[in-house]
Amino acid sequence: MAGKVSGSRVPGIGRREVLGAAGVAVCGLALTACGGGSKPTSAAGIKGKVIAKTADVPVGGGHLVDEWKIMVTQPKQGVYKAFSAVCTHAGCTVGSPEDDVMTCPCHGSEFSCDTGQPVKGPAKAPLTVYKVQVQGDGIVVV
């Protein structure tokens, strides 16, 4: 019967196809929860703009700029660095530095807060580096 919806099967779509689609959806949600496939938001539009205040970044610590997923660090007094806060392993956001490393909470990768290089896996690639300079009391991407 053409046009009958209730209780009818859609031609070409069987139980396996429906279950397969549901499985793909669940896997997609699982990856999203872990941050899988996330990419850092481009900082192209912020060149020359203050992204953080020097007072927000403690020596040996960091400050996450949520809007662009950038971690600004101060590994030594007066030395400011900025990196993508997106782990190169699975796309989770790394935490503020402790003991000179930024740690990914998802799988434990650790990155140097001075260079962005991985110091412990599973991540193998470094975090993207953003060049910054201090202007007044602001930290600016150059």
Side-chain angles (χ1 to χ4, degrees):
M1 291 184 155
K4 183 178 179 187
V5 177
S6 177
S8 69
R9 292 182 55 192
V10 177
I13 299 180
R15 182 169 50 145
R16 286 186 179 156
E17 288 81 5
V18 170
L19 290 173
V24 168
V26 168
C27 287
L29 287 173
L31 282 174
T32 300
C34 184
S38 296
K39 299 203 186 240
T41 304
S42 174
I46 64 170
K47 188 174 181 179
K49 294 182 183 177
V50 175
I51 60 167
K53 298 285 187 185
T54 55
D56 295 337
V57 187
V59 176
H63 174 74
L64 177 64
V65 183
D66 282 320
E67 186 175 354
W68 295 289
K69 296 277 189 224
I70 294 174
M71 181 66 72
V72 182
T73 68
Q74 188 180 181
K76 297 176 188 142
Q77 179 71 41
V79 176
Y80 295 90
K81 308 280 183 147
F83 308 95
S84 167
V86 179
C87 179
T88 57
H89 171 248
C92 298
T93 302
V94 299
S96 289
E98 291 183 21
D99 299 324
D100 297 323
V101 296
M102 295 170 280
T103 303
C104 178
C106 294
H107 301 108
S109 292
E110 294 180 354
F111 300 88
S112 165
C113 69
D114 188 41
T115 65
Q117 291 292 321
V119 293
K120 178 183 169 197
K124 294 183 174 146
L127 299 173
T128 300
V129 176
Y130 294 101
K131 289 188 177 191
V132 293
Q133 67 181 22
V134 175
Q135 293 180 0
D137 66 346
I139 300 168
V140 178
V141 175
V142 293

